[in-house]
Amino acid sequence: MSADPATDVFEEHRPVLTGVAYRMLGRIADAEDVVQEAWLRWSSADREEIREPRAYLVRITTRLAIDRLRRLRARREVYVGPWLPEPLATEEPHGVPPVPDAAERAALADTVSFAVLVVLESLSPLERAVFVLREAFGFPYAEIAAALGRTEPAVRQVAGRARRHVEERRPRYDVDPAERRDLTERFLAAASGGSVERLMALLAPDVRLVSDAGGRAKAALRIIGTADKVGRFLAAVAQEVGPDWDMRVAEFNGGPAVACFVGGKPDTFLQLDVRDGLIQCIYIVRNPDKLSGLSVPFAR
């Protein structure tokens, strides 16, 4: 506890605010900027007039995130190559509020997965806000309506539209976490060992590879599809792996991922979507602006 009750209240709700902002924006730095601005609003507010601090803070954070997302959309239109979210370490509760129930935490983790965040990019800022508040955090429709300055019927309509959009586009299959981690480790072993045959055996026929470097590092500028093309791309990448590469498996965005370091510096993030024992999609992030969080799970 601090000497300032206002600080204590804000810190109590910070995990939820950070979780909302990250799911809205897909970038840790942007989320932290929004939360910091929410703190400035909170610290200067007449708190005697605020009956429900949590609702007030979520409202301020959501509106700030919507405004920032609208500004960011213009930049992303000229982004070099595909745009992917920034990896979020979830071995520790960073951006995911602590919850006692394992099923509830799994639901939270699902809404922070790469597959879902990529789909959320296709929603309008308002649809994204409603989806995040309702599906990720379970806010009542009345509370969402108050936060967004909309009527409850209008929010229900937006929520239904956003939910249908996401359900139509995100993968609809359940994967055993142990199976996903095992396949990730086998993929890592095959890639680091340079075994093209072992890599190809792990790929679904219609596998896709999406890489984000933002023009700052070597990466495919378009989505690569089919096992043959993805396999040849991975084989070329595997030839570049040298003795100064350090590749480790850790939990990011609610699932296992590979964090690659070269000479001790974060170089590449890789995460797999898995179904029926095969890799359906490979997400690769190489933009250095999005790799600063890779060292988080390994800091001891």
Side-chain angles (χ1 to χ4, degrees):
M1 297 289 288
S2 72
D4 180 10
T7 300
D8 291 337
V9 171
F10 189 85
E11 291 303 320
E12 176 187 352
H13 299 296
R14 181 186 287 274
V16 171
L17 305 182
T18 303
V20 169
Y22 174 77
R23 287 166 175 80
M24 282 290 297
L25 301 168
R27 288 290 308 275
I28 296 170
D30 289 326
E32 291 175 343
D33 285 347
V34 162
V35 172
Q36 178 62 23
E37 192 169 348
W39 158 251
L40 295 175
R41 302 279 184 96
W42 168 252
S43 62
S44 61
D46 182 359
R47 286 181 294 279
E48 292 184 359
E49 299 294 322
I50 301 173
R51 292 189 299 175
E52 299 181 11
R54 178 175 178 268
Y56 173 86
L57 290 169
V58 168
R59 179 170 71 251
I60 294 299
T61 300
T62 302
R63 290 181 177 181
L64 289 171
I66 288 175
D67 290 343
R68 180 169 287 240
L69 181 58
R70 286 172 175 156
R71 296 195 301 270
L72 291 174
R73 283 282 169 90
R75 298 184 206 169
R76 292 177 189 176
E77 288 178 1
V78 295
Y79 193 81
V80 179
W83 188 95
L84 289 173
E86 179 178 354
L88 177 74
T90 50
E91 280 188 340
E92 300 293 336
H94 176 18
V96 178
V99 291
D101 182 76
E104 188 177 351
R105 192 180 190 285
L108 281 168
D110 180 59
T111 61
V112 84
S113 71
F114 260 54
V116 170
L117 290 175
V118 167
V119 174
L120 293 187
E121 281 295 303
S122 60
L123 297 178
S124 72
L126 178 63
E127 290 172 335
R128 188 164 183 168
V130 171
F131 182 89
V132 167
L133 294 176
R134 181 63 184 172
E135 300 299 323
F137 295 95
F139 283 96
Y141 287 112
E143 196 168 335
I144 298 173
L148 298 175
R150 298 291 198 279
T151 65
E152 186 173 338
V155 164
R156 288 180 178 274
Q157 187 176 33
V158 172
R161 187 167 63 243
R163 189 182 305 111
R164 287 192 299 272
H165 182 93
V166 173
E167 293 296 331
E168 288 170 359
R169 289 162 176 80
R170 74 172 169 180
R172 297 307 303 160
Y173 44 81
D174 296 323
V175 179
D176 180 2
E179 177 189 359
R180 189 178 178 195
R181 187 176 184 92
D182 175 69
L183 192 54
T184 299
E185 291 175 344
R186 285 194 286 141
F187 177 90
L188 175 58
S192 58
S195 174
V196 178
E197 294 79 10
R198 288 169 64 192
L199 276 173
M200 292 294 294
L202 301 176
L203 304 178
D206 57 348
V207 63
R208 297 163 64 247
L209 184 145
V210 186
S211 54
D212 172 353
R216 303 280 308 281
K218 186 177 179 180
L221 295 178
R222 293 179 177 82
I223 297 174
I224 301 175
T226 76
D228 178 62
K229 293 179 181 178
V230 171
R232 284 191 278 117
F233 177 85
L234 292 173
V237 172
Q239 292 178 356
E240 300 179 6
V241 176
D244 58 339
W245 281 61
D246 182 11
M247 295 184 281
R248 318 178 194 181
V249 177
E251 183 184 298
F252 285 85
N253 294 80
V258 178
C260 305
F261 302 82
V262 179
K265 296 181 179 180
D267 180 88
T268 303
F269 167 88
L270 184 149
Q271 192 164 52
L272 310 176
D273 267 352
V274 176
R275 184 182 66 201
D276 299 330
L278 294 174
I279 298 169
Q280 304 294 322
C281 188
I282 303 170
Y283 297 107
I284 298 175
V285 178
R286 301 207 65 216
N287 186 335
D289 292 340
K290 298 182 180 182
L291 298 178
S292 60
L294 285 198
S295 60
V296 171
F298 311 112
R300 295 290 184 262

